Amino acid sequence: MKALVTGGAGFIGSHVVDRLLAEGYRVTVYDNLATGQRRFLDDALATGRCRLVVGDILDRDRLTESLDGSSLVAHFAANADVRRGRDHPERDLEQNALGTSSVLEAMRAAGVERLLFASTGAIYGEPDVFPTPEDAPLPVQTSLYGASKLAAEGLISAYAHGFGLQASIFRFVSILGPRYSHGHVFDFVRKLLHDPERVEVLGDGRQRKSYLHVDDCVDGIVRALRRDEAPVSIYNLGHADVCTVDDSLGWIARRLGFEPERRYTGGERGWVGDSPLVHLDCSRIRALGFAPRRSIRESVEATVDFLLDNRWLLDSRG
Amino acid sequence: MKALVTGGAGFIGSHVVDRLLAEGYRVTVYDNLATGQRRFLDDALATGRCRLVVGDILDRDRLTESLDGSSLVAHFAANADVRRGRDHPERDLEQNALGTSSVLEAMRAAGVERLLFASTGAIYGEPDVFPTPEDAPLPVQTSLYGASKLAAEGLISAYAHGFGLQASIFRFVSILGPRYSHGHVFDFVRKLLHDPERVEVLGDGRQRKSYLHVDDCVDGIVRALRRDEAPVSIYNLGHADVCTVDDSLGWIARRLGFEPERRYTGGERGWVGDSPLVHLDCSRIRALGFAPRRSIRESVEATVDFLLDNRWLLDSRG
C-alpha cells in the first residue's frame, strides 16, 4: 500500500506520516518546506519506506508524478495562519482552495480515489450552537482561513459526487503536542522566555477554546480511514472540554516557572476572525471509538515541554 | 451615484443595469462578452449614462481602474453552466471563486464598500429541509458550480468582517424571462424547433423546481440594496411555488403548438449535481416587501415568447 501526504513535513502531517508507516504503508511526503521541517521526518525517513519530494501542491505535474502507485492521499498542506489572513488576503485562497483543486486534479489524473483532508472548526465562523455539530446551520464566514477551507471542502464534496472520489474530512480544533510550531502556546512560550515578568494577551483572556493532542487527533483520523465507506464523511475532531486562554496561559507560565503580569488588549476576540468560543460536538467520531486520552492541560504542558526541548523552532520563526 | 456591474451584459446582469439606471445611477458595465451580449445593453447605452468596458474580472488592474468613482458593485459575472461542471472542473473555481477574489481586491484597492452578489440555491446541494431556509444545516456540495459559489460567498463574508465591506448575497433559483439565454427552457425550445415530434428529457421529468421571473428577481435585489445595513445579508430569491420538469415542458410545447412524444433518460437527477427538488424559503426577502408578480407558468411562457422573437440567440450557442 502506498500513500502520499501533502504537508507531510508539517506538524500534524508528519504525525500522519509516522502513523501510516506504522500501519504498513509506503509513504511519499510531498511538502514545499515553506513551514514544514525536514527534522520532523527523521524517524520516518529512517524506516526506509518513506521518501520526501520537495514540491509545491500548485505544481500539478510534479504532484501527479509523485502519486505514482498511491491508493491514498492525506492532504494536509495548507496556509494555517488564521490570524494573519488580512495581511495577505489571497494567500488562503491560493494555498487552501486552489491548492486543494490541484490535489484533486492530480488524483483524478493518477486515478487515486481515497482522500483524507485536514479542514478546520474555523469554517463554523461564530456559530450559535454549542457544542457545534457537523450539520450546524450554514455559517457566515468570519476569517479568510475558514472561508478558504470551506471552499476546499466544497470542492472535495463536488469531486466525490462528480468523479467517484471517496473523502473523509476532519474539522480540527487547535492541535497541540510534539512538533507543534505555531499558535498561541508557541507565542506565549516565546514571549515569556523573552520577558518572564509580563505578557500581552490578545483579547480579554476569556475566549474559550478546545484543544486536542496530536496523537489523539491522528487516532481519530485512522479510525475514519478504516471505517468510512460513504462518498463524503465529515468529522469534528476536538475535545469534550474547553479551557480559557487565561487557563492555558496559567499552565504554560507555571510549567516555565514564571508568574508574569498579564496585560490584556481587550475585547471578546483576540483578532479579526477569532472566535470567542470553540467547542465542537464530536459524537460522530466518538461513535467510531474515538476518545481523547489526554486532558487539555496535559496537551498544553506536553507542548511547552516539546518547545523547551526544541528551541531551534522558537528561534526559526519571525 | 456610480455603480459597476460585472457580467452586466449577461441575462440577469443586464436587467440589474437597466434597473440601476432607472434608480438614477451612472453605470459601468464590466463584461468579457464570453456569454454576455452587446444587444442586451442597447437600451442602457442609449441613456447616455451607461458605458461598457470589455474586460475580464481576473484582469484586476483593468477592473480597479474601471471602478473609478463607483460606490456600488453588483457582481454578476460568473460561469453559470452548472450542468457541465465535470467537463472542465477548474472553470467554476476560476471564474466564480478566483473571479470574486479579484473583484474583492479591486474594491479594496478602489475603496468601494457596497456589494451585491449573485449566488445560487445550488449551494444547498441536496438539502433535507424544504422549503430551504438561508440557515439550513451546512450542506454537502454536489456540484462544482455550487461549491464555487459557496466559496465566493465565504470570501465575501470574510472580507466584510475583515475589511468593512457591506454585502448583500442573493441565492437564486433558476431565473426566467427576457434575455434568458441558457438552461432548460432554452434547451427544450431549441430541441422542439428542430424536431417537434419527440423530445429527450434528462432524468424522469419529475424533478421539482422553482423558477422566478427576472423582473421579480431584480425587484428583490433592489429592495435589499435599499434596506440592508448589516455587514452581510443573505437572501434566498425564489418563488413560493414549484413545478415539475414535465409541467414546464408541457407549457413550452403548448406555447410552441407542438405535442411531442417524451423520452426520459431516467433517474431522479437530470445530471450529476442536479437536485431532485429546489424550493427555497424566501421569508427573509418577503419581509422586505418582496412578492413575485408572475406565476411560474407565466415566466416559462414569457421566456418561450422571448426566444421565438430572438432566434439569433438560439442559433448562437453550440
Side-chain angles (χ1 to χ4, degrees), chain A residues 16-44:
Chain A
V16 171
V17 168
D18 289 340
R19 184 64 186 263
L20 290 175
L21 288 166
E23 299 275 320
Y25 283 87
R26 300 186 74 83
V27 178
T28 300
V29 172
Y30 192 91
D31 200 301
N32 64 4
L33 298 181
T35 56
Q37 301 286 348
R38 247 174 233 273
R39 297 202 210 179
F40 292 172
L41 296 172
D42 284 349
D43 294 347

Side-chain angles (χ1 to χ4, degrees), chain A residues 197-210:
Chain A
E197 302 297 323
R198 57 194 61 78
V199 63
E200 184 187 73
V201 182
L202 300 178
D204 61 10
R206 294 196 290 273
Q207 306 104 295
R208 283 175 294 162
K209 309 279 185 178
S210 179

Side-chain angles (χ1 to χ4, degrees), chain A residues 60 86 89-90 108 136 138 162, chain B residues 60 86 89-90 136 138 159 162:
Chain A
R60 185 175 319 169
R86 289 170 72 231
E90 290 160 293
R108 201 158 73 93
L138 224 161
Chain B
R60 186 176 317 168
R86 289 171 72 232
E90 289 161 290
L138 225 161
Y159 268 71

Side-chain angles (χ1 to χ4, degrees), chain B residues 34 45 87 100 120 127 141 149 159 196 271:
Chain B
L45 292 170
D87 298 342
T100 297
T120 168
Q141 298 304 305
K149 283 285 190 179
Y159 268 71
W271 55 88

Side-chain angles (χ1 to χ4, degrees), chain B residues 117-225:
Chain B
F117 177 63
S119 185
T120 168
I123 65 118
Y124 296 117
E126 294 193 9
D128 296 320
V129 186
F130 297 99
T132 310
E134 289 87 351
D135 60 354
L138 225 161
V140 170
Q141 298 304 305
T142 55
S143 72
L144 287 157
Y145 174 68
S148 69
K149 283 285 190 179
L150 183 61
E153 284 195 16
L155 289 174
I156 290 168
S157 299
Y159 268 71
H161 283 82
F163 298 114
L165 189 84
Q166 196 213 334
S168 305
I169 293 173
F170 305 96
R171 294 177 182 156
F172 300 145
V173 296
S174 292
I175 307 297
L176 299 176
R179 302 181 194 156
Y180 168 94
S181 35
H182 81 276
H184 91 285
V185 180
F186 189 94
D187 293 343
F188 277 141
V189 168
R190 189 156 59 174
K191 283 186 200 174
L192 286 167
L193 291 176
H194 180 73
D195 181 355
E197 301 297 321
R198 59 192 61 78
V199 64
E200 183 187 74
V201 182
L202 299 178
D204 61 10
R206 293 196 291 273
Q207 306 104 296
R208 283 174 296 161
K209 308 281 184 178
S210 178
Y211 298 102
L212 187 69
H213 193 282
V214 67
D215 290 345
D216 288 322
C217 171
V218 174
D219 174 67
I221 292 168
V222 171
R223 284 176 191 275
L225 171 61

Side-chain angles (χ1 to χ4, degrees), chain A residues 245-301:
Chain A
V245 170
D246 264 335
D247 291 333
S248 179
L249 175 55
W251 299 326
I252 295 165
R254 203 161 303 127
R255 198 74 171 180
L256 293 169
F258 301 149
E259 285 187 50
E261 178 196 340
R262 301 175 187 200
R263 291 179 181 175
Y264 298 94
T265 62
E268 271 191 299
R269 293 167 195 81
W271 57 85
V272 173
D274 188 24
S275 194
L277 172 55
V278 176
H279 192 200
L280 306 186
D281 179 339
C282 297
S283 320
R284 264 193 209 169
I285 192 77
R286 281 209 305 272
L288 303 188
F290 168 79
R293 286 181 301 161
R294 291 157 200 82
S295 70
I296 292 182
R297 179 171 182 163
E298 286 166 343
S299 299
V300 169
E301 290 172 347

Side-chain angles (χ1 to χ4, degrees), chain B residues 44-78:
Chain B
L45 292 170
T47 63
R49 289 183 295 113
C50 177
R51 65 172 182 142
L52 168 63
V53 177
V54 180
D56 196 285
I57 51 173
L58 293 169
D59 182 350
R60 186 176 317 168
D61 291 340
R62 192 169 167 73
L63 179 56
T64 306
E65 253 175 53
S66 305
L67 280 171
D68 169 51
S70 294
S71 58
L72 169 69
V73 169
H75 176 32
F76 281 68

Side-chain angles (χ1 to χ4, degrees), chain A residues 149-161:
Chain A
K149 283 286 191 177
L150 184 60
E153 284 196 15
L155 289 174
I156 290 168
S157 298
Y159 268 71
H161 284 83

